[in-house]
Amino acid sequence: MEAPLFPRESGQFIAERSRDVFVEEAGVQKVAEMLYALRHSDDLTASGWKKANPLAPEPTSDQALNWVFVVDTMNFSFWPEKETQQCEVTYKGTTYTGYMTLCAAITRAMEEGIPITDPKYFSQISVEELGHVLRSDNETPMPMLLERHQALTEGGRVLLDHGGSFRSFISQAGNDARKMVELIVQKIPSYRDEATYEGKRISLYKRAQILVADFWGVMEARGHGDIVNMDWLTMFADYRVPQALIYLGALRYSDTLMQTLKDGELLCSGDRREVEIRGCSIWSVELIKDRLCKLVQERDRQTCDVNSAIIDFYLWPYAKQHHKEMAHIPIHHTRCIYY
């Protein structure tokens, strides 16, 4: 079977052929200008990572990297069947929903003395034990417990085969972000986020790329963030950032697709429309990054070190913070292990 296009090339390939999702030039420029105004703020640095996720252990702690691996291996499909029935986890007086329920649950388990960041433990954890770790504080459980269990135990076994920690596993790729992504998708099946579009094998690699970006965030905070090829990473194509890109005018859906999503139709993983939403999101952020770097070079006469991962680290919390203003824009619903 032919190797799939990498995510950036996949995004371009999809955007050039897309029938229901369109990258909007004026919106790309607008978002680039918005980010240009923030270019000196912490929001557009890797150190913004810890600020975006206060539930992560201190980057200097021994558990930080394994915590990242555990969370990113189960980082998929948090949207509720009904908005009124969300899984919730309360930790230290704050109630979390969505992705943050997973972070809160893992950090809560660590405080309870459960060795959830130890591959020896999580490679063999039972479904019941994981269900206890991920327990909700209301009647709505976290979706896809069996799939999360399979992904976590499988990932744990891979770490045990490669030195027994995420650090020892990922070090096989040297300090090259691209090689890290390739290693992850080669060795861990649940990270193989691929599809066929217009007869071509493509890849989106949302979780593999975010795992590398989170690794970089931790290492950067430790003063060891000299990872090459970070610019090779794209944004992490999920269901929240596309909503922000539509809101900001960098993407546009056809009337038909917009109505389909408003009607609440479930899109299967690999559905043409689902691939177009994710692929065009990747390509629009690539164009935003290129435009932003051009502005920095033209106006400041400086080189631009903002990459697509940093733009994603900004857009994802932005979407969460502006969710009320964006409520009229539907997110797409796909129940799968890739995002």
Side-chain angles (χ1 to χ4, degrees):
M1 199 183 215
E2 64 167 335
L5 294 175
F6 284 122
R8 187 179 195 277
E9 291 71 29
S10 296
Q12 182 174 11
F13 180 85
I14 293 160
E16 286 169 354
R17 292 158 180 81
S18 181
R19 288 180 259 164
D20 280 296
V21 187
F22 311 98
V23 178
E24 296 287 274
E25 194 62 35
V28 164
Q29 181 68 30
K30 177 183 144 189
V31 178
E33 292 281 1
M34 180 177 95
L35 296 175
Y36 177 78
L38 294 167
R39 69 196 180 285
H40 298 308
S41 77
D42 266 358
D43 289 331
L44 288 186
T45 63
S47 60
W49 175 84
K50 175 69 179 143
K51 196 172 82 176
N53 198 341
L55 293 166
E58 280 307 311
T60 49
S61 74
D62 290 344
Q63 291 112 325
L65 289 173
N66 280 354
W67 184 94
V68 157
F69 180 79
V70 167
V71 166
D72 287 346
T73 299
M74 295 190 287
N75 177 6
F76 51 82
S77 207
F78 298 102
W79 53 270
E81 297 290 339
K82 294 180 182 164
E83 281 301 323
T84 52
Q85 294 176 353
Q86 291 232 40
C87 168
E88 292 179 349
V89 172
T90 302
Y91 176 72
K92 292 199 169 169
T94 304
T95 299
Y96 298 96
T97 59
Y99 161 71
M100 297 303 276
T101 57
L102 175 64
C103 302
I106 299 303
T107 301
R108 174 181 66 186
M110 289 168 67
E111 281 210 354
E112 290 169 351
I114 298 169
I116 190 61
T117 58
D118 181 349
K120 286 197 216 51
Y121 175 76
F122 69 73
S123 63
Q124 298 184 23
I125 192 171
S126 70
V127 176
E128 292 71 29
E129 286 168 324
L130 185 61
H132 174 73
V133 166
L134 301 181
R135 68 192 181 277
S136 173
D137 288 333
N138 61 22
E139 298 299 307
T140 306
M142 197 179 291
M144 301 184 83
L145 175 62
L146 292 177
E147 289 83 356
R148 289 183 212 280
H149 175 262
Q150 184 178 343
L152 184 62
T153 52
E154 166 193 273
R157 289 192 296 273
V158 172
L159 297 194
L160 290 181
D161 288 342
H162 296 85
S165 72
F166 178 54
R167 182 68 193 270
S168 61
F169 167 72
I170 205 69
S171 66
Q172 296 172 91
N175 68 336
D176 186 321
R178 172 179 172 165
K179 287 181 179 165
M180 289 178 192
V181 171
E182 291 179 304
L183 176 71
I184 292 162
V185 299
Q186 179 198 347
K187 299 286 186 187
I188 313 177
S190 78
Y191 280 90
R192 284 177 208 148
D193 180 6
E194 300 168 0
T196 300
Y197 181 78
E198 298 288 338
K200 193 91 176 157
R201 289 294 294 161
I202 58 99
S203 70
L204 303 150
Y205 294 153
K206 184 257 185 180
R207 289 198 295 113
Q209 295 197 95
I210 211 168
L211 180 53
V212 171
D214 282 346
F215 173 72
W216 176 58
V218 172
M219 298 310 284
E220 184 83 359
R222 292 179 176 184
H224 303 299
D226 52 345
I227 292 170
V228 299
N229 264 336
M230 281 303 294
D231 204 43
W232 183 84
L233 299 184
T234 66
M235 61 77 78
F236 319 123
D238 65 353
Y239 46 84
R240 186 64 68 194
V241 175
Q243 183 191 34
L245 292 168
I246 293 280
Y247 176 74
L248 292 166
L251 275 189
R252 177 174 60 82
Y253 292 161
S254 70
D255 293 344
T256 314
L257 177 58
M258 187 63 95
Q259 195 54 54
T260 297
L261 299 182
K262 283 182 174 171
D263 291 343
E265 184 182 319
L266 222 59
L267 302 184
C268 294
S269 179
D271 179 283
R272 175 185 62 78
R273 297 160 299 176
E274 183 251 2
V275 172
E276 288 182 0
I277 291 170
R278 299 181 73 207
C280 291
S281 295
I282 285 175
W283 190 239
S284 75
V285 171
E286 289 303 302
L287 295 179
I288 289 164
K289 176 187 70 178
D290 292 347
R291 193 66 47 83
L292 171 62
C293 288
K294 212 168 167 191
L295 292 176
V296 170
Q297 282 158 357
E298 286 170 359
R299 294 176 187 174
D300 303 347
R301 298 279 182 265
Q302 290 177 347
T303 54
C304 172
D305 56 2
V306 172
N307 57 47
S308 297
I310 286 176
I311 294 174
D312 190 288
F313 281 160
Y314 175 76
L315 287 175
W316 193 84
Y318 178 93
K320 291 286 269 186
Q321 286 153 14
H322 294 81
H323 69 98
K324 285 189 175 141
E325 298 97 301
M326 294 187 199
H328 64 288
I329 301 165
I331 64 169
H332 73 281
H333 289 118
T334 299
R335 199 58 95 189
C336 69
I337 64 168
Y338 301 118
Y339 63 101

